[in-house]
Amino acid sequence: MTEVSVAKDDVPVTGDLVVLKSVNKHFGALHVLQDIDLTITRGEVVVVIGPSGSGKSTLCRAINRLETIDSGDISIDGKPLPQEGKALARLRADVGMVFQSFNLFAHKTVLENVMLGQIKVRKADKKVAEEKARALLDRVGVATQADKYPAQLSGGQQQRVAIARALAMDPKVMLFDEPTSALDPEMINEVLEVMQQLAREGMTMIVVTHEMGFARSAANRVVFMADGRIVEEAVPDQFFSNPRSDRAKDFLSKILHH
Ligand SMILES: Nc1ncnc2c1ncn2[C@@H]1O[C@H](COP(=O)(O)OP(=O)(O)OP(=O)(O)O)[C@@H](O)[C@H]1O
Ligand SMILES: [Mg+2]
């Protein structure tokens, strides 16, 4: 905890925004998350890296309660994850998620995609939702695409719309699970630049990515996972120049010199 003050509704405000304590998760015999302890403070950008199958996506999905956990606790902004119903819908809005595949609603226009959650979950007025959607589309550089359908956009444009859609809910934290790994190389930077900008503006972000340039320049901390465990955490410079564990050394040698 870095700071403690008291908000208007008497809920203590601390620097801790996402807190996982002793989180365990199995898929059958596979122990996919093993005693995960992780605290992300407000405004922090954490990059999660690790070999395929190490549990990175499961970790993200657990934070958004797209996966249940077997034991341990996860809280967002001091509150335990809700089990179901409206509280769960609000949680999903508080925790914006951007996946590898773009997951836009195919039969809605770009503008409608960014308006929908504001109206349904945040109960925003249609006019207000539209103005906000247009402003966000402008911010991610796709304002001119507002009336198109997702399939008419490039992958990089679709992913920027997905970011705008998540931002429209005023999330407390944004989760990105390999947001650029399905993109053609020339589109990766346009998405990373939007993410860099968000990071600079102080958004709290958890980012699973193999983009080590992004990790170096935008992350406050790198979390390295292997076999369902957090093996190592460090500031990017330290992690990349001087990894402590053999697993991390091995992983870095494979991704940095191929
Ligand atoms: N719904 C599921 N049912 C059973 N096993 C699953 C399920 N989802 C994931 N797994 C398994 O859990 C392990 C961790 O998967 P996860 O997708 O979290 O890994 P990851 O670190 O994101 O990998 P990648 O880098 O390939 O995306 C893998 O062995 C995977 O096969
Ligand atoms: Mg994954």
Side-chain angles (χ1 to χ4, degrees), residues 24 26 30 51 75 138 153 170 185-186 191 193 204 206 221:
N24 284 281
H26 296 77
L30 183 69
S75 64
D138 188 45
L153 270 58
D170 296 321
E186 70 270 23
V191 173
E193 273 163 26
T204 309
I206 302 171
R221 180 160 45 127

Side-chain angles (χ1 to χ4, degrees), residues 155-168:
Q157 289 171 329
Q158 288 185 56
Q159 200 59 309
R160 286 181 284 152
V161 174
I163 294 171
R165 185 176 61 172
L167 290 175

Side-chain angles (χ1 to χ4, degrees), residues 25-32 34 70:
K25 163 91 185 163
H26 296 77
F27 284 121
L30 183 69
H31 196 171
V32 61
Q34 304 189 28
D70 301 335

Side-chain angles (χ1 to χ4, degrees), residues 27 30 32 50-59 67 177-178 210:
F27 284 121
L30 183 69
V32 61
S52 181
S54 56
K56 306 178 300 291
S57 293
T58 307
L59 178 78
E67 298 283 359
D177 189 0
E178 301 204 30
H210 298 299

Side-chain angles (χ1 to χ4, degrees), residues 1-19 40-43 76-79 172 204:
M1 272 191 280
T2 48
E3 73 211 55
V4 179
S5 61
V6 177
K8 268 190 240 121
D9 51 1
D10 282 337
V11 177
V13 177
T14 70
D16 300 344
L17 187 55
V18 180
V19 180
I40 290 143
T41 59
R42 239 171 266 279
I76 308 280
D77 212 2
K79 297 190 200 82
K172 291 176 177 169
T204 309

Side-chain angles (χ1 to χ4, degrees), residues 236-252:
D237 270 354
Q238 192 188 328
F239 179 78
F240 290 112
S241 59
N242 194 15
R244 296 185 303 268
S245 63
D246 289 342
R247 291 300 302 265
K249 283 178 198 163
D250 181 53
F251 178 77
L252 286 175

